[in-house]
Amino acid sequence: FTFTIESFGTVTHAVLATYFYCRNFEDYSVKLDFSFLAFSVVFPLTFLIQSVFSRRDQALQRLLDFKSALLSTALFTLTVDWAATNGDPTGGRLSLPSNFNKVALEDLRNILQLVYEYLSMPSVTHARHYVFKPKQHATRRVHAVQNEIMQQFNKAMFDLALHTEVMRRYGFPSGEASRLHQFHQYLQQRFEQVRALKYYRTPQATRSFGRAYLLILPWLVGPYFAWVFEETNQDYGFTLTLAGFTYLILLGLLNTQRGLEDPFVADESSWTPGIDNVKLEYEFSTILQAMAEYYASAERFEHMERTFGTSMKSNMSVISEDVKIHET
């Protein structure tokens, strides 16, 4: 976050301003109190960094809640069994259409893909996206894509709810269906929460103030570095290095805050993009892996039930009768 093209320009500007004051140190040399720098720059930047880290943690927690709700929905939809119509306590799931699990898995993957696409969209909530016309056009395009994703997400959630109604048609208990619909509610709730954390940012005025102040500050505190230049027997090397390092640290704090404004999308201007952001690809890949395992296990179980279910139940009946005879 520290060494970027912007930091090179800021440090160069600060060094040139300091060099001007050093060249005229006899007229500008003043020993200033640096405490005002802490209150005017460092404290606001620290507060912003704490704020964006808090938003990142909230986004991660809401994303993990979404992950848990989606996996619970997948496990419930693909594996739950209920009483058969002939009175057996299990086997009701075998009456479902043969492609039920496959269609349900496709809808679950579709929801996951839509959420990933939405959270991976570029950020268009900077001030430049509202001021400059080219950026305004880009903002409208991104919003159009986001609206399309939201429509597809709502349709996918409707299709997912229909699977529960299909299960009810084949004997799935209404109480269990209500619980499954509650998982659907959790999915929509958590998605709306992560969507809001992506779209709504920290105050634009505070961020703009920090960047503007870094450009003005070298000309305000230049007399202090002129005093340092005078006290160090006119040592240009030390004075310019101290000034450049000071503004480099301040800009690094500002870039740290800016890099986490969108907790899901990495700041590509950094040398280490995405190092502190939520790892979307990793989190979503674990969901896909778990859902694939649920589907494979459900298919194996149903295949065994359809192939060996009758003989297994008859064997269990014989064993039960033998136990009763033994007890008698």
Side-chain angles (χ1 to χ4, degrees), residues 15 18-25 229 232-243:
V15 168
T18 303
Y19 179 75
F20 168 79
Y21 282 104
C22 290
R23 291 275 297 185
N24 303 277
F25 73 94
F229 176 74
T232 56
N233 296 322
Q234 302 181 15
D235 187 345
Y236 277 103
F238 175 78
T239 304
L240 297 180
T241 301
L242 178 63

Side-chain angles (χ1 to χ4, degrees), residues 219-237:
W219 299 99
L220 298 179
V221 299
Y224 170 80
F225 291 109
W227 174 80
V228 172
F229 176 74
E230 183 179 8
E231 292 296 317
T232 56
N233 296 322
Q234 302 181 15
D235 187 345
Y236 277 103

Side-chain angles (χ1 to χ4, degrees), residues 280-296:
L280 282 180
E281 293 185 358
Y282 171 75
E283 297 296 339
F284 280 62
S285 64
T286 58
I287 301 176
L288 287 173
Q289 182 180 5
M291 290 196 302
E293 180 61 30
Y294 294 161
Y295 174 76

Side-chain angles (χ1 to χ4, degrees), residues 261-279:
E261 274 296 320
D262 189 336
F264 304 106
V265 177
D267 183 7
E268 297 298 334
S269 64
S270 169
W271 283 18
T272 55
I275 190 172
D276 291 320
N277 296 88
V278 177
K279 307 301 186 293

Side-chain angles (χ1 to χ4, degrees), residues 28 39 61 65 110 113 132 205 219 246 253 278 284 296:
Y28 296 106
F39 287 103
Q61 183 61 51
D65 290 342
N110 186 31
Q113 178 66 26
F132 302 107
W219 299 99
T246 300
L253 293 175
V278 177
F284 280 62

Side-chain angles (χ1 to χ4, degrees), residues 89-104:
T90 60
R93 186 176 187 85
L94 298 179
S95 61
L96 288 172
S98 59
N99 66 337
F100 177 84
N101 285 351
K102 182 178 180 181
V103 176

Side-chain angles (χ1 to χ4, degrees), residues 103-121:
V103 176
L105 179 64
E106 290 177 355
D107 288 337
L108 289 166
R109 286 176 172 174
N110 186 31
I111 289 175
L112 190 64
Q113 178 66 26
L114 291 171
V115 174
Y116 177 80
E117 290 178 359
Y118 190 96
L119 297 181
S120 301
M121 294 292 293

